[in-house]
Amino acid sequence: MGNKVYKIGFISLLVLNILLTLVIWRGPKPPFQGGGDADFKNRISEDLGLSEEQEEKYFASAMVHQQEMSALQQNHRKLVKEYFDFLKLSDVDEKEKKEKLEAIAKTESRKAEITFKHFEELKAICNEGQQEAFENIVKNLQQVLVRGGGNNPPPARDK
């Protein structure tokens, strides 16, 4: 009986080690040049049929966009934390609370502006033949932005 337990344990550990090795080996993809979602950037580049020169300009713009968005996202998280820290206080200054909420709204507005500018730059490097494909990219972009880029939790289910 004892020998059988050791065999089962050994096989279980062997299977777990193989699975762990596969998970580590296949792990997350390294970040794309300039950060951001490499698949999304590459898909846009392919869908538009960008030349190497256009792609270089687009990826440079995407890198700047990603850096600006990252800084804004950090600031947004800080502002939201500070806003909800008001719940810990027994006496809340309504003026401060309102200012914090306005700062959060301003950050969200700035994110939209930066993203719009980034895609204006992409549109500017597209030739006439790529404009139709660009319109499809905008439709897809709108869907991603409305969903929140997949960062939002799924909607609550109705019971």
Side-chain angles (χ1 to χ4, degrees):
M1 167 108 177
N3 205 11
K4 189 175 183 179
V5 171
Y6 286 122
K7 285 181 184 179
I8 292 172
F10 174 78
I11 292 171
S12 298
L13 289 174
L14 181 64
V15 169
L16 285 173
N17 280 329
I18 291 170
L19 288 173
L20 183 59
T21 302
L22 287 173
V23 167
I24 292 171
W25 181 60
R26 294 198 60 196
K29 295 177 184 176
F32 189 66
Q33 170 191 354
D37 185 348
D39 292 335
F40 190 65
K41 288 181 200 175
N42 288 332
R43 190 174 55 221
I44 288 175
S45 179
E46 288 173 15
D47 289 351
L48 292 173
L50 297 179
S51 68
E52 283 186 36
E53 183 181 328
Q54 288 173 313
E55 198 172 76
E56 194 174 297
K57 289 177 184 176
Y58 168 55
F59 287 165
S61 173
M63 183 167 56
V64 170
H65 174 259
Q66 181 62 32
Q67 289 169 344
E68 290 176 335
M69 292 297 284
S70 180
L72 280 172
Q73 189 61 34
Q74 265 187 313
N75 187 46
H76 177 81
R77 280 192 288 269
K78 178 181 147 268
L79 290 169
V80 169
K81 181 197 174 302
E82 290 171 356
Y83 181 74
F84 280 91
D85 280 346
F86 286 120
L87 292 171
K88 298 175 186 175
L89 304 175
S90 57
D91 188 30
V92 177
D93 182 345
E94 289 300 317
K95 183 181 177 198
E96 276 186 58
K97 190 174 110 179
K98 183 179 178 186
E99 287 173 356
K100 194 66 65 179
L101 196 56
E102 288 171 355
I104 291 169
K106 188 175 180 180
T107 302
E108 285 298 313
S109 175
R110 186 71 184 125
K111 285 194 234 178
E113 289 172 359
I114 288 171
T115 301
F116 189 88
K117 178 183 170 223
H118 169 58
F119 281 93
E120 272 186 324
E121 291 171 358
L122 175 59
K123 183 179 181 181
I125 65 172
C126 291
N127 60 38
E128 286 182 34
Q130 295 166 327
Q131 289 300 321
E132 187 177 322
F134 180 80
E135 290 175 19
N136 290 331
I137 301 267
V138 171
K139 287 177 189 174
N140 290 338
L141 173 67
Q142 289 169 328
Q143 291 173 351
V144 169
L145 292 175
V146 168
R147 276 196 330 254
N151 294 332
N152 295 337
R157 290 195 274 173
D158 294 331
K159 292 183 181 181

